[in-house]
Amino acid sequence: NFVTGLVFIFVVGIILLATMALLPPFLQQWKDYPAVTTGLVLAPRGLGSMFSMMLVGRLMRTRLDPRVLVITGLLFITFSLHEMAGFTLEVSRNTLIWTGVLQGLGLGLVFIPLNVTAFSTLPGHLRTDGSSLLNLLRSIGASVGISITTVLLARNIQTAHTDLGSHVTSSTIDAIDISTVDRYQPLGQTVLSMVDLEVNRQAAMIAYIDDFYLMMWLALAAIPMVFLMRKCRT
């Protein structure tokens, strides 16, 4: 149980911190949200976690199998990431808020039952060291998650920009004759800059979607591991 719990907490660390590392730059750079608005949009995610953690305490007093709660939490996380993978540059604040709340609910349902199940088969004299290892793996998972998603984001922006830019031709943009833009000198350069800015925006959105899909599949792939853990009494 404890070994499986270490793997789980590593995965949860990736999802928890990587998502929080991706959303603020997305909202501020590509949605033009000020810092305060960004914080207000992301805050309900923490409220979702707080509510689900309080709910978990009550549910576990009913002798409900903690593994059921872990699976439910991972399904919530998977669904929220699936919805986030459908974001566009016009995504509304309401959508940003409710997907954040849903993900927060999922994380709250995973944390406490996972700790209970992980420590249920660990001898008492090893639990202090076990707690340290559990927190260490969560921190390592967070670091790995942020590193991987940031690298993939930068690489995928370049890849998507190249793919999208190759389709910007006179035949695909009716309003602009790309072949004659250079005749207008500064005005033509302004037009090209505007087209390039839009290509950058769309390329960035594609890259964010790719990262959300990656984390969604990671959360989904972790669900079968729950069945490796023994049922414990709460």
Side-chain angles (χ1 to χ4, degrees), residues 12-13 16 27 50 60 64 99 102 104 113 123 127 172 181 217 222 228:
V12 171
L16 174 66
L27 296 179
M50 181 178 69
M60 293 185 69
L64 181 66
T99 52
L102 188 62
R127 289 184 178 178
T172 58
V181 165
W217 287 113
L228 297 177

Side-chain angles (χ1 to χ4, degrees), residues 4-5 7-12 15 65-82 106-107 109-110 114 117 214-230:
T4 307
V7 177
F8 261 114
I9 205 68
F10 181 81
V11 173
V12 171
I15 298 170
D65 189 345
R67 297 177 300 176
V68 174
L69 296 175
V70 174
I71 292 174
T72 304
L74 287 172
L75 288 174
F76 275 22
I77 294 170
T78 301
F79 181 73
S80 69
L81 288 167
H82 177 269
L107 289 169
L109 288 173
V110 169
L114 178 61
T117 308
L214 172 65
M215 289 186 287
M216 181 196 76
W217 287 113
L218 186 61
L220 192 62
I223 292 177
M225 293 190 63
V226 176
F227 300 103
L228 297 177
M229 306 179 83
R230 298 177 187 173

Side-chain angles (χ1 to χ4, degrees), residues 23-74:
L23 285 176
F26 169 70
L27 296 179
Q28 293 184 46
Q29 185 174 359
W30 304 110
K31 292 287 291 178
D32 294 324
Y33 284 6
V36 173
T37 304
T38 299
L40 292 174
V41 169
L42 297 179
R45 186 172 185 262
L47 295 177
S49 294
M50 181 178 69
F51 174 79
S52 62
M53 285 184 178
M54 291 189 296
L55 180 64
V56 162
R58 293 180 177 271
L59 291 175
M60 293 185 69
R61 292 193 194 103
T62 65
R63 302 296 181 181
L64 181 66
D65 189 345
R67 297 177 300 176
V68 174
L69 296 175
V70 174
I71 292 174
T72 304
L74 287 172

Side-chain angles (χ1 to χ4, degrees), residues 17-27 149-150 153 208 211-212 215:
L17 271 300
T19 306
M20 292 306 296
L22 289 174
L23 285 176
F26 169 70
L27 296 179
T149 53
T150 303
L153 181 68
Y208 276 105
D211 274 356
F212 293 144
M215 289 186 287

